[in-house]
Amino acid sequence: MNDFIFQSPTRIVFGRGYVDKTGAEVAALGARNVLLVYGGGSVKRTGVLDRAERSLSTEGVDYTELGGVRPNPEVRLVREGIDLARKKNVDLILAVGGGSVIDCAKAIAFGVPYDGDVWELFERRTPIKASLPIATTLTIPAAGSEASGSCVISNDKLRLKRGVSGDVLRPSVAIMDPELTFTLPQYQTAAGVTDMICHICERYFSGIGAVPVADNIACGLIRAIMEAARQVAKKPDDYDARATLMWAGTLAHNDLCGCGRSTAAERRAGGWESHALEHEISAHHSEVTHGAGLAVILPAWMRYVWPAHPERFLSFAKDVFGLMPKDDTHDADVETITRSIDELQQLFVSLGMPKTLGDLGLMPDDIEAWMGTLHQNRGEVFGEFKPLTLNDARAIYQSSF
Ligand code: NZQ
Ligand code: ZN
């Protein structure tokens, strides 16, 4: 087991009806005047915004609204939020929504104390050291931003999507009420499921061998996610299955699954190759849902890289899908590994995810634009499980059509 530093300080407040605790939780952090950030309107339609605001008022917490965060959030609204937060002198940023809303809230929170344009921090990509406190009331299990130390923002002008990190970006509290997720369209539920499985796989398929604690947590979580996802597809208001997905989404990305797998203690485990490849797609096509892009890219990446460490893929096949090679030949290994990747992809497709990038309305001609920004973001070679050259990346994109 490699050395690691694990810090997951977010207070998790998890249960039925707990959206109504938003005000009390925020007040307990000492906040009196907050910027409340939300998305394109789902929280208005579902009544979640009203409930969160009522609970703030009950506790005597003032709030200013900033709505309209789009999926794959963009830096312009972040800048607007920073100006508003400064003008109103807020003492906390509260996100009511999913990963996009939370990431917009995070960028506002660390943009306020920064003396310069916030995008400079995404260009620099050094760990963020100062931020206003962040609280979240989560409405979709997916990105894991409710407890992660990351923030991902797009810049449409530059066609870039960039992440920054830092432990100050981990929200102080995450209010997680699984009933809020009953209203999710199946497509978004499935995209969330794909994203959380991918967060686990990015760490599981890193450069080092077995780490039993991390690996058992990883494979156990994936099994629980798969079962709950199938259940929710049949019965969207199944509380226990929704609760399973919500909690799994947090554990998939709060770094628990990577403990002991990282090659440097202060670094997140894994090479994050599928995320690197997908982020270029949603940077250029903001209408592409992150998880839907991953549903195509993750299996394509797996098919390309497994020969670098087949033993890792054999463990995955056994511990996630119960697949064992029928004899001890290379051909049996190939068959078992291929079948496990097929089963994973089939799960995504059965939940409503695309199988090819063409299913997302993308064209092979788009690849060169992604390659340009991939090069800017990742350089000539990136990744860890099998370091990928730009030609490898191009081949993976091509195989995704
Ligand atoms: O905008 P509204 O109207 O609220 O609708 C949203 C949005 O259209 C809708 N939705 C959310 N909760 C709902 C609901 N609809 C009905 N009922 C509800 N309860 O779902 C859509 C997707 O929301 P979004 O916040 O975009 O989803 P997600 O949580 O998947 O976040 C995706 C973003 O997170 C980034 C992605 O790149 C992407 O920009 N990521 C952030 C990470 C992090 N900070 O740690 C890690 C991830 O790997 C990821 O890159
Ligand atoms: Zn992700």
Side-chain angles (χ1 to χ4, degrees):
M1 195 188 305
N2 286 348
D3 301 344
F4 66 91
I5 297 166
F6 176 61
Q7 186 181 1
S8 186
T10 305
R11 173 177 160 87
I12 305 289
V13 179
F14 190 104
R16 285 176 203 267
Y18 276 18
V19 56
D20 300 321
K21 292 185 186 287
T22 302
E25 289 296 327
V26 164
L29 293 169
R32 284 281 153 266
N33 178 22
V34 309
L35 183 70
L36 192 170
V37 184
Y38 63 92
S42 73
V43 292
K44 282 197 166 165
R45 288 193 298 279
T46 57
V48 166
L49 188 65
D50 273 352
R51 286 172 72 185
E53 290 185 346
R54 218 174 305 132
S55 75
L56 289 168
S57 299
T58 304
E59 299 293 330
V61 178
D62 289 336
Y63 59 86
T64 303
E65 282 185 10
L66 177 71
V69 180
R70 69 162 208 215
N72 301 310
E74 217 270 335
V75 68
R76 253 167 311 181
L77 192 68
V78 172
R79 293 188 181 116
E80 234 179 82
I82 293 168
D83 289 344
L84 190 59
R86 285 182 181 149
K87 198 167 113 212
K88 295 282 180 177
N89 202 17
V90 305
D91 46 24
L92 179 144
I93 314 293
L94 169 64
V96 181
S100 298
V101 172
I102 300 172
D103 283 2
C104 182
K106 285 181 176 181
I108 294 169
F110 62 74
V112 168
Y114 179 66
D115 188 17
D117 179 53
V118 67
W119 188 255
E120 290 165 16
L121 297 168
F122 289 87
E123 278 172 346
R124 213 177 287 161
R125 285 194 283 199
T126 48
I128 304 291
K129 297 286 183 205
S131 171
L132 288 179
I134 302 148
T136 83
T137 297
L138 184 67
T139 62
I140 171 172
S145 188
E146 67 277 8
S148 82
S150 322
C151 165
V152 186
I153 296 291
S154 294
N155 184 321
D156 286 355
K157 207 163 124 205
L158 303 177
R159 299 244 169 204
L160 291 175
K161 184 173 184 180
R162 285 242 164 124
V164 289
S165 58
D167 278 320
V168 293
L169 301 192
R170 294 183 192 268
S172 304
V173 63
I175 293 129
M176 299 182 32
D177 179 343
E179 286 181 342
L180 302 191
T181 69
F182 290 177
T183 55
L184 276 169
Q186 172 59 23
Y187 189 82
Q188 289 299 336
T189 300
V193 162
T194 307
D195 194 17
M196 59 181 89
I197 290 178
C198 193
H199 293 161
I200 300 169
C201 288
E202 298 277 21
R203 294 175 171 90
Y204 185 89
F205 294 107
S206 55
I208 67 159
V211 177
V213 177
D215 294 350
N216 278 292
I217 293 172
C219 293
L221 269 179
I222 295 178
R223 291 198 307 272
I225 293 167
M226 294 195 307
E227 195 182 325
R230 291 188 185 107
Q231 188 57 26
V232 162
K234 282 189 279 182
K235 193 171 179 296
D237 61 351
D238 182 320
Y239 179 85
D240 284 327
R242 286 288 191 188
T244 298
L245 292 184
M246 203 172 214
W247 186 219
T250 304
L251 298 180
H253 199 38
N254 74 342
D255 289 327
L256 179 68
C257 296
C259 291
R261 299 201 61 80
S262 177
T263 45
E266 46 296 308
R267 225 177 50 76
R268 184 165 74 180
W272 291 80
E273 297 87 344
S274 296
H275 271 68
L277 293 166
E278 192 295 312
H279 278 166
E280 297 315 325
I281 298 174
S282 48
H284 287 261
H285 310 267
S286 62
E287 72 284 4
V288 170
T289 301
H290 171 59
L294 289 172
V296 179
I297 292 293
L298 176 65
W301 172 78
M302 288 176 151
R303 291 184 209 287
Y304 194 83
V305 302
W306 73 257
H309 300 279
E311 70 289 351
R312 230 27 227 145
F313 273 87
L314 285 169
S315 302
F316 184 78
K318 174 163 95 37
D319 293 338
V320 174
F321 295 105
L323 298 173
M324 304 283 276
K326 293 219 173 58
D327 56 47
D328 57 3
T329 64
H330 173 71
D331 284 351
D333 288 357
V334 174
E335 197 190 315
T336 307
I337 291 169
T338 307
R339 217 179 119 196
S340 70
I341 300 170
D342 289 346
E343 288 210 14
L344 186 65
Q345 184 161 37
Q346 185 44 38
L347 171 84
F348 297 153
V349 171
S350 73
L351 296 173
M353 288 287 94
K355 189 167 185 186
T356 70
L357 292 181
D359 295 343
L360 284 166
L362 303 168
M363 313 279 280
D365 283 353
D366 295 324
I367 293 176
E368 283 317 303
W370 310 338
M371 292 300 304
T373 45
L374 182 70
H375 189 200
Q376 271 187 61
N377 279 326
R378 301 287 160 160
E380 298 285 334
V381 180
F382 67 99
E384 194 179 293
F385 187 80
K386 168 183 161 62
L388 299 175
T389 64
L390 292 173
N391 279 337
D392 291 326
R394 185 180 287 105
I396 295 171
Y397 282 139
Q398 282 166 345
S399 74
S400 303
F401 280 93

